[in-house]
Amino acid sequence: MFSSKLFTSAAFFAAVLAVPTELVPRTTSIGATVNVCENLDNPTNCVAIPIVSDQCIDFSGGLSFLDNGVSSATVPDGFVCTFFDQPNCADGDAVVLTPGSWNFFNVPGPSGSVNFNDMASSVSCSPV
């Protein structure tokens, strides 16, 4: 009797453990965020945007207050972020920012410092 109950219990647990588990697809989410703010003097409207490697983030929908309104950004270590003056990270003016805190009145451009304040409409970040 004892061995019958033991066998039944063991069979039950083996069946439970043998049930296949659901595979969860990998994502490209890195867990880091780029912090973006409007109004440099009083940065009250700031948002931490999750970085998804090489994905374009438009400043639309819940981020529409940032469209042509970004005045500063903080790029985390190990990443580079490109801010575009067009939606969908389309061709046009863009600035590439390395890790650190940036004032958009004075960011590096292709031929020196540029004023990119209130110009960004989208951003794309990737690991360095």
Side-chain angles (χ1 to χ4, degrees):
M1 182 77 161
F2 174 73
S3 61
S4 174
K5 287 183 181 180
L6 181 62
F7 177 76
T8 303
S9 296
F12 172 76
F13 285 115
V16 169
L17 295 175
V19 174
T21 59
E22 179 181 348
L23 293 177
V24 178
R26 289 185 180 186
T27 64
T28 55
S29 179
I30 300 167
T33 60
V34 57
N35 294 308
V36 181
C37 299
E38 67 173 359
N39 191 357
L40 186 63
D41 296 326
N42 185 17
T44 54
N45 287 327
C46 297
V47 64
I49 300 171
I51 295 175
V52 179
S53 183
D54 299 316
Q55 178 179 332
C56 182
I57 305 294
D58 280 328
F59 297 149
S60 60
L63 298 176
S64 62
F65 71 94
L66 293 172
D67 189 28
N68 296 316
V70 175
S71 293
S72 65
T74 302
V75 178
D77 288 337
F79 294 91
V80 61
C81 293
T82 304
F83 288 82
F84 299 85
D85 72 342
Q86 299 294 315
N88 302 314
C89 300
D91 289 338
D93 289 335
V95 293
V96 179
L97 303 180
T98 55
S101 295
W102 296 95
N103 169 342
F104 275 46
F105 284 97
N106 185 20
V107 292
S111 57
S113 294
V114 296
N115 180 348
F116 209 70
N117 187 58
D118 295 343
M119 291 181 64
S121 289
S122 56
V123 64
S124 178
C125 299
S126 58
V128 177

